[in-house]
Amino acid sequence: GYDEPPGTWDELKDAARKLAGRGGGKYGISLDTAEQTLGFMFARQNGSRLIEGNTTLFNQAPYVEAIEYLDSFFREGLAPKDLGLDAVQAFAGDGVIPMFISGPWMIKLIHDQAPDLEGKWATAELPKKENNESLLGGADLSIFQYSKHKEEALKFLAFMSRTETQLKWMELTQSFPSVKAAWEDDKLKSDPNFQVIGRQAENAAPMPQITAWEEISQGYLKAFEKIYRRGDNVQQVFDDYNANATRILNR
């Protein structure tokens, strides 16, 4: 019943309900419970700032509301908890999972592993609550402080940052270019799926750039599991999680 992808959180939930209503073991959407950034991304879309200075905000209303929203997909049976299929299998296999959130690398995987779906699927920007901010991630190139080959390393970084190198790297790894000039390439400009990724990248941000973040974010997975598996109270779980995150941040 949708002529275009869901544009809001409410529309996403409505579309997931309709798709799950097909029955026969089919779902509306996949929300990867092993992906620690997902809850933070949705919280930002709901206006959460995650951390301010030395204060964590994981038990404040914008964050808690986002987790309750995510959990509702599991409570209503719209998203699977343990399916045992990878994303392409579930997507191509009679649309067991017809919607999922992922990155640009999935475009080639679907083309290669599910050629029968050609022309029957597309990418879309994330639905919006207060905003539709996505996660900006990737790899970093750096030079060690005590490297004995800094000049050579700088030349390598310069080489990897060239537009033509970035495009070749994309071809080899499906990692999208970080050099903006590369987005003027005909392959990127002519493919509607790539163009969607490019537009979404204009509204994306990395996770907090702090040394404690990895430990804090891994703790999210355990906290969220208590909710979607056991049905624990969201506010109570994230009061505890927030207190622990504050200790990690300030130790």
Side-chain angles (χ1 to χ4, degrees):
Y2 278 89
D3 296 325
E4 56 188 30
T8 67
W9 279 19
D10 287 343
E11 289 178 1
L12 181 64
K13 175 64 75 65
D14 179 66
R17 284 172 176 154
K18 289 177 178 176
L19 289 162
R22 296 171 297 161
K26 295 181 174 65
Y27 296 91
I29 190 172
S30 172
L31 297 169
D32 189 353
T33 56
E35 175 51 67
Q36 69 264 39
T37 61
L38 198 63
F40 302 115
M41 185 182 76
F42 272 85
R44 279 177 166 173
Q45 292 176 5
N46 198 41
S48 173
R49 300 175 72 168
L50 304 184
I51 296 174
E52 289 185 333
N54 293 323
T55 302
T56 56
L57 305 173
F58 306 125
N59 65 342
Q60 301 301 300
Y63 194 96
V64 171
E65 289 169 3
I67 300 305
E68 290 173 339
Y69 174 75
L70 284 175
D71 181 47
S72 69
F73 286 88
F74 297 99
R75 288 199 317 270
E76 296 181 32
L78 310 180
K81 297 176 183 178
D82 302 291
L83 190 60
L85 295 174
D86 68 28
V88 178
Q89 287 178 311
F91 191 58
D94 295 325
V96 174
I97 292 179
M99 295 191 292
F100 63 92
I101 298 170
S102 190
W105 54 87
M106 290 302 301
I107 294 174
K108 187 175 187 302
L109 285 177
I110 295 174
H111 281 313
D112 292 349
Q113 297 180 20
D116 292 345
L117 291 183
E118 190 68 31
K120 299 178 181 179
W121 66 275
T123 58
E125 293 180 60
L126 290 167
K128 179 180 181 181
K129 183 68 182 302
E130 289 193 12
N131 61 72
N132 76 327
E133 188 175 282
S134 182
L135 170 67
L136 189 65
D140 297 305
L141 296 172
S142 61
I143 301 172
F144 288 115
Q145 179 180 357
Y146 299 107
S147 171
K148 296 179 180 180
H149 301 281
K150 290 183 179 179
E151 184 177 345
E152 293 88 345
L154 281 168
K155 290 180 180 178
F156 179 70
L157 264 62
F159 167 76
M160 288 300 294
S161 300
R162 292 176 186 170
T163 298
E164 60 270 25
T165 309
Q166 292 266 301
L167 290 168
K168 184 64 176 178
W169 188 247
M170 182 189 74
E171 179 186 329
L172 294 171
T173 69
Q174 296 303 296
S175 300
F176 271 50
S178 56
V179 177
K180 287 188 176 182
W183 285 84
E184 296 303 315
D185 181 76
D186 287 342
K187 182 178 180 180
L188 287 169
K189 292 180 70 173
S190 63
D191 190 308
N193 286 324
F194 291 161
Q195 286 299 299
V196 169
I197 300 292
R199 288 196 301 271
Q200 182 68 72
E202 294 291 336
N203 185 25
M207 289 290 100
Q209 303 296 290
I210 55 176
T211 56
W213 183 252
E214 181 62 23
E215 187 175 355
I216 289 173
S217 65
Q218 286 295 326
Y220 162 81
L221 296 177
K222 296 178 181 179
F224 189 53
E225 187 171 27
K226 294 177 182 178
I227 294 163
Y228 78 86
R229 284 199 188 279
R230 300 194 320 203
D232 288 11
N233 179 270
V234 177
Q235 184 67 62
Q236 182 176 342
V237 168
F238 278 88
D239 280 342
D240 295 340
Y241 171 72
N242 189 71
N244 189 52
T246 299
R247 287 192 294 271
I248 294 171
L249 181 66
N250 293 288
R251 70 187 177 195

